[in-house]
Amino acid sequence: MIEYMSGAVKILPHYTYADWINWKGQWELIDGIPYAMSPMPVPKHQKIANALGGELYIALKNCKNCEAFQAIDYKIHDDTILQPDILVICQPVNKKFLDFPPALVVEILSPATALKDRHSKFQIYEEQQVKYYIIISPDKELGNCMYCNLRNYLHKKSLLFGGF
């Protein structure tokens, strides 16, 4: 990839799944650009993820098709691999990664990921037609649920998360 910055040419490397699988640590890859998934999430982030994951597990316990997962690799393209905080998947996963859109994705914002979650990942999930996308802001204890109407996301509902 070539970017032009103030008349100078800056060449960025373009990575793929073949590169990504050999990296140490946790990384996301968006359009060939790597993003480190560190530092580890803060305790409030983890508490929200655990509580919501538990609620989804209970809600889906008797569902024969759908299951809740925390942070698994979602390979969208050879140069785009994401690790959503929480997913609901309603089809069997037969590979080491998810290679089809989940029914629901939850991203819990942190200062390091908020911009990427609200913009880059929002656009990717929308293009992939992930039916529901929930973005949770731990600082505000507020979540926004978007619904994909087969073209773009519509704001469906705001959710309050308290007690964390």
Side-chain angles (χ1 to χ4, degrees):
M1 174 186 296
I2 300 175
E3 281 189 16
Y4 296 93
M5 299 176 64
S6 305
V9 175
K10 181 178 179 184
I11 299 174
L12 299 174
H14 186 88
Y15 295 101
T16 66
Y17 180 76
D19 302 307
W20 177 87
I21 58 172
N22 295 309
W23 296 342
K24 302 281 186 228
Q26 290 188 294
W27 294 84
E28 286 186 320
L29 193 58
I30 299 177
D31 296 328
I33 300 170
Y35 295 87
M37 300 298 293
S38 61
M40 290 299 293
V42 298
K44 190 170 188 178
H45 179 287
Q46 296 292 59
K47 286 170 93 173
I48 292 170
N50 287 337
L52 186 55
E55 291 292 327
L56 287 169
Y57 173 81
I58 291 167
L60 298 171
K61 192 173 184 178
N62 295 320
C63 180
K64 292 182 175 150
N65 299 319
C66 299
E67 199 172 352
F69 291 86
Q70 289 199 14
I72 64 171
D73 299 325
Y74 174 23
K75 182 180 174 191
I76 295 155
H77 302 293
D78 196 46
D79 67 352
T80 302
I81 300 109
L82 304 179
Q83 296 176 342
D85 291 314
I86 299 173
L87 308 90
V88 171
I89 300 169
C90 299
Q91 299 176 44
V93 180
N94 298 316
K95 298 180 180 174
K96 291 182 178 183
F97 51 82
L98 182 67
D99 63 347
F100 55 86
L104 176 141
V105 165
V106 177
E107 293 288 2
I108 303 167
L109 302 178
S110 70
T113 67
L115 188 63
K116 179 176 57 157
D117 291 341
R118 284 193 172 120
H119 297 281
S120 301
K121 291 173 103 175
F122 179 98
Q123 183 181 0
I124 291 167
Y125 295 146
E126 187 175 59
E127 287 170 358
Q128 293 298 305
Q129 297 182 355
V130 173
K131 193 165 193 145
Y132 293 95
Y133 181 32
I134 299 173
I135 301 174
I136 298 175
S137 175
D139 295 340
K140 296 178 183 173
E141 295 189 349
L142 179 71
N144 288 303
C145 179
M146 274 67 72
Y147 170 75
C148 187
N149 70 352
L150 298 180
R151 282 179 283 135
N152 52 19
Y153 278 129
L154 305 171
H155 183 265
K156 181 130 177 118
K157 192 173 197 176
S158 291
L159 313 164
L160 288 174
F161 291 85
F164 296 102

